[in-house]
């Protein structure tokens, strides 16, 4: 545990040094990056002895100055620390050349400082061992990420996005504090150990409040509204850290409190499964409807959180019905998907950042032909897209397969659980298909074809500090896909201290995972064979090149290519009651050609619902109280005097 | 050993069966039709030619045919053919196979978008949409088969204990599955009523338009991959229709290929007697197949606790 705190100290130093050195631009950035990388490596080394450990966790560390904070490192914490220490140094390295405006040196220094504070607070959330520690670390995480999101505060939409994120983060924290209040009123202590002594109604209430609070951070539907605004507004490496790592802290909170409460009824599992299915399907449908590159990646985060919650829900149902295989594979698939998603989502956000930096636009319908101009970014983005669609032989498939396996186990259960399990399988299948549709759209429209605007035509490859993290992450995607056994063992290790699941036998799933690895390697072997066959077929043949046939049109134009909007339109229209398509068409009124406009927009029903049913009535009621704010300072002083008098008399 | 021979035989015979479909359609139309071995001549012709590549395309365009051919070849290694066990088989291979077909589809679509042609984009969009809906049907079939046989492997479905067959205790439910899988076959393999393989209008194509810019050996790989995919789906339906008879290998093999030919003839008859649907009715068609199978899966709740 001490090594972990040394690692945190190094990372904090990496945050303070930029503030001192900000006048020397490159030195400042280099110091921040080096300190973060060293700190994360130290952190990973601190986890190694915990991984070898076979017994229950014994390390606790208490800080008893004016607040009692306790930390402990059990297997679930160790597992969640891995994405933090893996992704954050790569994001810091990426930021070296991404933040290249030397006139903004002070702001970039503050950005690096907040990033190191965010890393430290995320580690503290995962290691927290009492209600007070968890709450403190959670609030620190929310505040530092707010400052990271509003890095470009001179833009109005960034400020609006930051404000929305702040409101959601605080509303979520309020729910968590309410849950903690209930716990304290029942048990009288802040320790985690006493949580399983609550009554079952109280357990359910606490679970729902924690789901609302941690879920809004994770981005479940309908509390995901801040995600598609905050992720595009933040700088790309911050989006990578937030989407890859920070929203997983919400998942960690849900898992930890589920484990501590020890509620073995069916209801938590069914609620989580339903929420997961809704987030998964609706997240990917909204992603299809969006054409801002980072916004659609943000909606894909919602979808993958949905998949993680489907796995967790299936695991919880397995625990409730005593089906050990279902419990083990559901939770293991969920945990492995946490790791996999952090890898490929960060990869995709880094790629989007590279595209943004070189072409200055995020709109998919203005890009195109970037594969030839940015070869490394294009190839790694392709790998990330195949992984996120859950296709073999990459890593997304492994975790989705584990979740499928758990769902199929659930088909043998009676009654309602059978329906839930079959709905889970069908929604996973639909999510997979829609994700593939969305990413073929992104890869095809952004990287392939011809550039649709001048900005896209001028793009060139980005610097090494930005391509190296992307290459590393895409290599990791392939490695996990072809050699899944150690990573699945890692996921099983993460479940070791979850008492509800029981002991996991050492040989569980070995045959299954071995077969998956075999299938991936067989696919690659056949692919190699077919490539050689193609090469022999093409030996000595004439190969010419020419422009794409344009149906006989003599002057083809790059604007004739298919656009992302058209590609996705038929799918989005299919999901109509859940997706509001707003069309503004000025119509053709004159006989001769005149000025016409046409605009379609895909609206999120959660946003519309929140606006129409929560905000507008609330504002209407509060308008009645507007008379209190009249501006006369004398009456304001009168209010203060009145309050003091009432407090003195009554209390 | 027999598995490998059966696999090689299936690979060799795969281009014969689309010839049967064309002959059936010609027969229904009162014409003589092309020779049965036409597809072999086509493949040989394509392999003799070179290729023209579009200046807009990149390496992804050249990867499209190889990945889609690999993705169509791999399922044939896992499905029982001609009454023998398949070459490979493991618990959970069905899910892996349908996702392998998914990566084949992914690369076909991005290769189509690589050409910067609006027609190919249109076909790619339709393909992405319809195949997502067909995935729902396929996984509903897998749910039903898991309830019946308790396993997730193609070999176990058709050759294990609790085999899925019309003669088994849950045979009546399989009628739904046969109809639904036939509809999925027509969808996934671009047959009427979802897509007309003989249309000349690019605006109405789905699969044909995605391969419009491929030529030479690339096109030969794509065509052969399409034949393998059709063989896989037809073999699936054949196994549902034909139970495993405990007679010799040769009789089982002949029976298998006989029923397979009947399935292809049925495809040919469907193509001749139905017109292609309007594009906006195709999702309803696919969802009908989903509803049939989901209904069958719900019915198992009644009598299979």
């Amino acid at each position: 545990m001490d090594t972990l705190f040394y690692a945190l100290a190094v990372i904090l130093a990496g945050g303070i040094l930029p503030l001192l050195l900000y006048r020397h631009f490159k030195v400042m950035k280099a110091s921040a990056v080096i300190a973060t990388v060293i700190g994360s490596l130290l952190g990973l080394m601190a986890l190694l002895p915990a991984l070898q450990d076979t017994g229950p966790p014994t390390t606790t560390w208490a800080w008893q100055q004016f607040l009692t904070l306790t930390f402990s490192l059990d297997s679930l914490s160790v597992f969640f620390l891995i994405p933090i220490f893996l992704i954050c140094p790569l994001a810091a390295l990426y930021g070296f050349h991404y933040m290249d405006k030397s006139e903004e040196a002070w702001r970039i220094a503050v950005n690096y400082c907040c990033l190191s504070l965010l890393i430290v607070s995320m580690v503290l959330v995962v290691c927290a061992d009492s209600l007070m520690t968890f709450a403190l670390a959670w609030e620190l995480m929310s505040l530092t990420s707010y400052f990271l999101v509003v890095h470009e505060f001179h833009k109005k939409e960034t400020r609006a996005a930051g404000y929305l994120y702040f409101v959601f983060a605080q509303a979520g924290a309020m729910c968590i504090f309410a849950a903690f209040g209930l716990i304290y009123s029942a048990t009288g202590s802040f320790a985690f150990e006493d949580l399983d002594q609550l009554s079952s109604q109280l357990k359910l209430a606490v679970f729902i409040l924690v789901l609302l609070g941690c879920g809004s951070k994770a981005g479940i539907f309908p509390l995901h509204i801040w995600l598609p605004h905050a992720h595009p507004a933040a700088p790309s490496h911050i989006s990578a850290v937030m989407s890859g790592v920070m929203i997983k802290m919400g998942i960690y909170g849900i898992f930890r409190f589920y484990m501590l409460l020890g509620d073995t009824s069916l209801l938590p599992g069914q609620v989580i499964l339903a929420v997961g299915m809704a987030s998964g399907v609706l997240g990917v449908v909204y992603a299809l409807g969006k054409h801002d590159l980072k916004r659609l990646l943000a909606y894909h985060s919602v979808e993958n959180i949905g998949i993680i919650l489907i796995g967790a829900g299936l695991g919880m149902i397995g625990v409730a019905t005593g089906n050990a295989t279902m419990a083990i594979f559901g939770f293991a698939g969920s945990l492995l998907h946490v790791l996999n998603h952090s890898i490929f989502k960060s990869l995709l956000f880094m790629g989007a950042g590279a595209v943004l930096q070189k072409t200055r636009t995020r709109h998919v319908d203005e890009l195109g032909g970037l594969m030839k101009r940015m070869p490394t970014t294009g190839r790694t983005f392709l790998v990330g897209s195949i992984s996120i669609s859950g296709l073999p032989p990459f890593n997304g498939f492994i975790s989705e397969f584990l979740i499928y396996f758990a769902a199929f186990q659930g088909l043998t259960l009676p009654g309602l659980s059978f329906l839930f399990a079959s709905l889970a399988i069908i929604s996973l299948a639909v999510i997979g298909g829609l994700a593939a549709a969305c990413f073929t759209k992104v890869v095809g429209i952004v990287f392939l074809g011809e550039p649709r605007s001048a900005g896209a035509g001028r793009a060139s490859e980005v610097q090494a500090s930005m391509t190296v993290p992307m290459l590393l992450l895409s290599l990791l995607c392939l490695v996990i896909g072809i050699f899944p056994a150690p990573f699945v063992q890692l996921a099983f290790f993460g479940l070791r201290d979850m008492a509800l699941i029981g002991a996991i036998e050492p040989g569980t799933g070995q045959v299954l995972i071995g077969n998956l690895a075999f299938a991936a390697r067989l696919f690659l072997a056949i692919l190699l064979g077919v490539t050689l066959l193609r090469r022999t077929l093409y030996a000595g043949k004439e190969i010419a090149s020419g422009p794409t046939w344009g149906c006989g049109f003599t002057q083809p134009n790059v604007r004739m290519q298919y656009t992302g909007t058209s590609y996705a339109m038929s799918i989005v229209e299919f999901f109509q009651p859940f997706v509001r398509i707003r069309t503004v068409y000025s119509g053709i009124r004159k006989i001769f050609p005149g000025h016409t406009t046409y605009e379609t927009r895909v609206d999120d029903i959660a946003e519309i619902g929140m606006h129409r049913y929560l905000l507008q009535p609330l504002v209407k009621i509060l308008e009645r109280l507007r008379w209190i704010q009249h501006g006369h300072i004398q009456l304001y002083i009168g209010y203060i005097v009145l309050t003091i008098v009432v407090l003195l008399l009554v209390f | 050993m027999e598995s490998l021979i059966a696999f090689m035989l299936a690979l060799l015979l795969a281009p014969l069966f689309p010839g049967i479909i064309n002959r059936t359609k010609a027969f229904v139309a009162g014409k003589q039709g092309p020779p049965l071995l036409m597809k072999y001549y086509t493949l040989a012709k394509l392999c003799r030619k070179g290729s023209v590549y579009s200046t807009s395309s990149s390496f992804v365009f050249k990867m499209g045919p190889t990945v889609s051919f690999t993705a169509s070849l791999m399922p044939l290694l896992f499905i029982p053919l001609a009454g023998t066990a398949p070459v490979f088989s493991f618990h959970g291979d069905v899910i892996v196979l349908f996702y392998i077909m998914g990566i084949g589809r992914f690369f076909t679509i991005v290769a189509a978008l690589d050409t910067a042609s609006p027609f190919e984009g249109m076909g790619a969009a339709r393909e992405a949409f319809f195949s997502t809906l067909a995935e729902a049907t396929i996984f509903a079939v897998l749910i039903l088969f898991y309830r019946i046989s308790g396993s997730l492997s193609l070999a176990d479905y058709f050759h294990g204990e609790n085999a899925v067959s019309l003669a088994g205790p849950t045979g009546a439910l399989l009628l739904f599955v046969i109809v639904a899988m036939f509809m999925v076959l027509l969808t996934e393999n671009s047959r009427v009523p979802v897509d007309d393989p003989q249309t000349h209008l690019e605006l109405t194509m789905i699969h044909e338009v995605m391969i419009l810019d491929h030529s030479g050996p690339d096109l030969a790989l794509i065509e052969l991959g399409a034949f393998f995919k059709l063989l896989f789906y037809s073999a699936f339906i054949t196994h549902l229709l034909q139970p495993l008879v405990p007679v010799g290998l040769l009789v089982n093999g002949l029976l298998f290929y006989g029923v397979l030919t009947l399935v292809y003839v049925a495809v040919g008859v469907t193509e001749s007697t139905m017109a292609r649907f309007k594009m906006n009715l195709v999702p309803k068609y696919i969802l009908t197949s989903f509803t049939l199978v989901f209904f069958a899966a719900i019915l198992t709740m009644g009598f299979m606790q």
Side-chain angles (χ1 to χ4, degrees), chain B residues 260-278:
Chain B
L260 192 67
T261 315
L262 283 178
V263 173
Y264 277 95
V265 168
V267 173
V269 169
T270 316
E271 291 222 320
S272 315
T273 51
M274 282 184 83
R276 187 228 171 112
F277 285 150
K278 269 171 71 167

Side-chain angles (χ1 to χ4, degrees), chain A residues 469-537:
Chain A
M470 292 198 276
L471 283 169
L472 279 173
L473 288 173
S474 51
L475 191 64
L476 199 53
C477 283
L478 185 62
V479 162
I480 299 184
I482 316 182
F483 302 106
F487 299 96
V488 176
Q489 287 304 113
L490 193 62
F492 284 158
F493 167 79
L495 296 176
R496 186 196 69 194
D497 291 327
M498 284 186 89
L500 291 170
I501 302 178
I504 302 177
E505 267 134 74
T508 316
Q510 230 170 21
V511 174
L512 193 70
I513 304 302
N515 286 328
L516 282 183
F518 166 70
R521 292 172 207 164
L522 180 67
F523 176 78
L524 287 174
I526 299 179
L527 185 63
L528 197 63
V530 172
T531 317
L532 290 170
L533 171 69
R534 182 178 174 273
R535 201 160 290 198
T536 47
L537 283 175

